[in-house]
């Protein structure tokens, strides 16, 4: 009986323990639910940003914005949010989009103290004993948070990327365009994926300019799936960027990163017949850098190489970067290796995006294309028939100098107009409000808030670009009103804002200003149908997807 009584007592104790654990778990679930409700109420009604209009769900969590990013709807949001809610829209618990010239001046004005937001966490940080994050010094200009370091990096590479130096690489682009035109002619006007062909041309141009090398894309008439697969990578980055804590943790836990990617559906298998260009770029640039560094070390005690040997070296951008490292030790070997790859990493998608937008808009507006053709003819860039039977036809100038291209005012206006309507960036160029706070449109925005202008919205602002800001109208860039033209140039995020403008702008403009006239000189570009906004997948890095085009050879 004693044994039975003891067993019964143990059973009661165990049962009570189970009930106690259930009670604790129930209480924790209840407390968690109450906390979530309290947090939601605070963010919706009592948060310092509660007075700023915007979608209600956006005020509660970044999940709202991430959902639309994942679905590629940033073009639609950029066009509609400010129309619905005004110049200030709350798109997250602690993020506000602004759409005005005043906001642009405050956020992107040089020296105003607005640093990049956590959205740009792209490199693995180190953590000290005080749990402080320290970002690596790798010359990643997009994600560099240290302003002093960024300015030093820009100062170092500035001479290499200035227009006067970049122009010497024009012949490399000319060679690419000769091959591209020849291949496009073999298609006999067949419909192609415009984005893929613009990517083919861009990667070939970068290969020729940076490395004196070709990836073979023109010959293959394919980019090996790199454009589409790379763009999906931006879909993933755009979602992760909205959750900086997850992004940081994922650097230290690959399992967490995979789980979060799977949760949001941003895990993508490598496509069949994938032909990446980064692998050969890395190997070729590394080999040349290694050879140059060995030669530099061995010739310090030897006579300077002969002029004939120096002239045999490739004339390309990598050669200039290697020389920069030799003459300026502060441009370290790590900087050199990173910058060699960055030319491709930062340039292949942005220039592809720009060219796709430009050719799509010109190809879908035949009146604009006709005016560009007239301008090319008036500058001697088109073949002209003989005036009599004894005269040979004038083939015109086959290569368009980038300096001379600047005189093609209507062509350049068309390029600017396409980049305005379909910019390379599809989300806010976000910054953090400094300690002084921000007072804008009658509302005070506290320090630490993420703010920024979305180029899609800003570039359609009627106060800056006119009542027809949503229309493709290149003539707006040629109007007589000088102040209006200056305002359009000033309040413009095509090349970034403030002290964070694109360091490769002159390289990109040289390529674009040569490629566009060269293609229009040789082909009538026809875009049968522009995709609807809902069909265009836009992320932080944005491209006009789904455009089909025909390159019909001109007789």
């Amino acid at each position: 009986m004693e044994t039975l009584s003891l067993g019964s007592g143990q059973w009661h104790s165990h049962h009570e323990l189970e009930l106690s654990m259930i009670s604790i778990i129930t209480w924790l679930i209840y407390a968690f639910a109450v906390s979530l409700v309290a947090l939601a109420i605070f963010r919706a009604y009592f948060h310092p940003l509660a007075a700023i209009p915007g979608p209600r769900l956006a005020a509660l969590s970044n999940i709202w914005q991430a959902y639309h990013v994942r679905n590629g709807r940033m073009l639609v949001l950029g066009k509609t949010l400010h129309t619905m809610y005004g110049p200030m829209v709350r798109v997250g618990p602690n993020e506000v989009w602004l759409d005005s010239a005043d906001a642009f001046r405050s956020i992107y004005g040089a020296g105003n103290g607005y640093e990049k937001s956590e959205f740009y966490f792209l490199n693995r940080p180190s953590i000290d004993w005080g749990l402080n994050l320290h970002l690596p010094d790798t010359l990643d200009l997009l994600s560099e948070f240290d302003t002093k370091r960024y300015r030093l990096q820009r100062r170092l590479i500035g001479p290499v990327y200035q227009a006067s130096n970049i122009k010497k690489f024009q012949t490399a682009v000319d060679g690419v365009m000769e091959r591209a035109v020849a291949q496009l002619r073999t298609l006999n006007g067949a419909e192609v994926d415009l984005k893929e062909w613009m990517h083919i041309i861009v990667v070939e141009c970068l290969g020729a300019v940076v490395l004196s090398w070709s990836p073979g894309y023109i010959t293959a008439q394919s980019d090996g799936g790199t454009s589409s697969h790379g763009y999906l990578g931006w879909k993933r980055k755009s979602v992760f960027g909205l959750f900086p804590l997850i992004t940081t943790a994922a650097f230290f836990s690959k399992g967490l990163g995979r789980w979060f990617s799977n949760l949001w559906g941003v895990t993508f298998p490598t496509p069949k017949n994938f032909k990446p260009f980064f692998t050969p770029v890395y190997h070729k640039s590394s080999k040349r850098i290694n050879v140059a560094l060995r030669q530099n070390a061995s010739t310090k005690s030897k006579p300077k190489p002969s002029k004939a040997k120096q002239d045999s070296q490739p004339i390309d951008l990598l050669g200039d970067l290697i020389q920069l490292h030799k003459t300026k030790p502060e441009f370290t070997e790590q900087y050199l290796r990173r910058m060699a790859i960055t030319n491709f990493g930062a340039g292949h998608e942005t220039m592809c995006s720009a060219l796709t937008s430009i050719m799509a808009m010109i190809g879908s507006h035949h009146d604009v294309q006709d005016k560009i053709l007239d301008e090319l003819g008036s500058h001697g860039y088109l073949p002209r028939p003989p005036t009599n039977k004894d005269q040979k036809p004038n083939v015109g100038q086959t290569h368009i100098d980038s300096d001379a291209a600047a005189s093609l005012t209507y062509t350049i206006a068309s390029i600017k107009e396409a980049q305005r309507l379909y910019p390379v960036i599809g989300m806010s160029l976000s910054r953090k409000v400094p300690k002084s706070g921000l007072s804008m449109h009658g509302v005070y925005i506290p320090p630490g808030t993420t703010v920024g202008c979305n180029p899609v919205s800003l570039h359609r602002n009627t106060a800056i670009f006119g009542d027809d800001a949503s229309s493709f109208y290149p003539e707006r860039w040629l109007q007589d009103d000088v102040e209006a033209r200056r305002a359009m140039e000033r309040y413009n995020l095509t090349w970034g804002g403030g002290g964070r403008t694109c360091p490769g702008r002159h390289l990109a403009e040289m390529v674009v200003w040569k490629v566009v006239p060269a293609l229009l000189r040789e082909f009538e570009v026809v875009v049968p149908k522009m995709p609807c906004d809902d069909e265009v997948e836009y992320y932080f890095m944005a491209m006009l997807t789904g455009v089909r085009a025909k390159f019909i050879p001109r007789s």
Side-chain angles (χ1 to χ4, degrees), residues 43 47 49 57-63 90-95 449:
R43 286 179 170 178
H47 192 280
L49 304 180
L57 290 177
L60 305 183
S61 170
N62 280 338
I63 291 174
R90 188 181 180 192
V91 295
N94 200 46
E95 182 174 0
T449 304

Side-chain angles (χ1 to χ4, degrees), residues 251-299:
F251 284 123
F252 301 95
S253 172
K254 291 184 179 180
L256 176 63
R258 283 193 295 268
W259 171 81
F260 197 70
S261 292
N262 292 332
L263 177 68
W264 280 95
V266 290
T267 301
F268 310 105
T270 303
K272 291 182 178 179
N273 303 318
F274 185 59
K275 187 183 178 184
F277 59 87
F278 273 111
T279 303
V281 163
Y282 173 77
H283 288 311
K284 289 180 179 296
S285 60
S286 295
K287 183 178 179 180
R288 275 185 57 186
I289 290 170
N290 292 339
V291 170
L293 294 181
R294 283 197 301 269
Q295 289 176 343
N296 189 48
S298 64
T299 55

Side-chain angles (χ1 to χ4, degrees), residues 122-134:
L122 299 177
N123 293 301
R124 175 174 175 153
S126 58
I127 303 178
D128 61 24
W129 292 105
L131 298 181
N132 299 305
L133 297 179
H134 300 277

Side-chain angles (χ1 to χ4, degrees), residues 117 375 522:
S117 74
E375 185 173 63
E522 300 292 338

Side-chain angles (χ1 to χ4, degrees), residues 9-23:
Q10 288 177 336
W11 182 85
H12 283 295
S13 298
H14 183 70
H15 183 63
E16 289 174 359
L17 180 61
E18 284 185 343
L19 290 176
S20 177
M21 289 297 295
I22 292 173
S23 298

Side-chain angles (χ1 to χ4, degrees), residues 56-284:
R56 278 296 178 191
L57 290 177
L60 305 183
S61 170
N62 280 338
I63 291 174
W64 178 86
Q65 189 179 171
Y67 170 79
H68 288 286
V69 170
R70 195 274 308 272
N71 292 338
R73 288 181 48 81
M74 301 319 289
L75 177 62
V76 174
L77 291 187
K79 283 186 172 185
T80 59
L81 280 182
H82 288 289
T83 302
M84 295 171 61
Y85 296 105
M88 301 178 69
V89 181
R90 188 181 180 192
V91 295
N94 200 46
E95 182 174 0
V96 178
W97 285 3
L98 298 107
D99 179 26
S100 68
D102 290 340
F104 182 97
R105 283 193 299 269
S106 295
I107 297 169
Y108 303 109
N112 287 357
Y114 285 74
E115 303 294 344
K116 285 198 167 187
S117 74
E118 293 89 348
F119 181 88
Y120 297 92
F121 274 169
L122 299 177
N123 293 301
R124 175 174 175 153
S126 58
I127 303 178
D128 61 24
W129 292 105
L131 298 181
N132 299 305
L133 297 179
H134 300 277
L135 296 171
D137 181 9
T138 60
L139 206 156
D140 188 328
L141 296 170
L142 177 64
S143 63
E144 181 58 75
F145 284 80
D146 188 317
T147 303
K148 290 183 179 179
R149 200 156 67 192
Y150 176 81
R151 288 172 180 165
L152 169 64
Q153 293 165 353
R154 287 293 300 266
R155 232 177 9 252
L156 288 172
I157 66 174
V160 175
Y161 290 89
Q162 63 186 5
S164 58
N165 189 61
I166 290 297
K167 65 192 297 184
K168 71 186 180 189
F169 304 124
Q170 292 188 79
T171 54
V173 177
D174 292 336
V176 169
M177 290 313 298
E178 288 177 4
R179 292 187 290 117
V181 166
Q183 279 290 4
L184 284 169
R185 281 187 175 276
T186 66
L187 299 178
N188 295 317
E191 199 170 273
V192 299
D193 181 336
L194 181 61
K195 181 169 72 73
E196 181 178 18
W197 262 100
M198 294 305 98
H199 192 242
I200 288 170
I201 290 173
V202 165
V203 176
E204 290 275 7
C205 285
L206 286 172
V209 168
V210 179
L211 285 174
S212 305
W213 162 79
S214 168
Y217 285 174
I218 289 177
T219 303
Q221 298 185 4
S222 169
D223 69 354
T226 53
S227 174
S228 299
H229 192 60
Y231 196 44
L232 291 175
W234 277 107
K235 181 176 185 176
R236 182 183 187 277
K237 291 174 188 175
S238 301
V239 170
F240 268 71
L242 296 171
F243 303 95
L245 288 177
I246 294 290
T247 301
T248 304
F251 284 123
F252 301 95
S253 172
K254 291 184 179 180
L256 176 63
R258 283 193 295 268
W259 171 81
F260 197 70
S261 292
N262 292 332
L263 177 68
W264 280 95
V266 290
T267 301
F268 310 105
T270 303
K272 291 182 178 179
N273 303 318
F274 185 59
K275 187 183 178 184
F277 59 87
F278 273 111
T279 303
V281 163
Y282 173 77
H283 288 311
K284 289 180 179 296

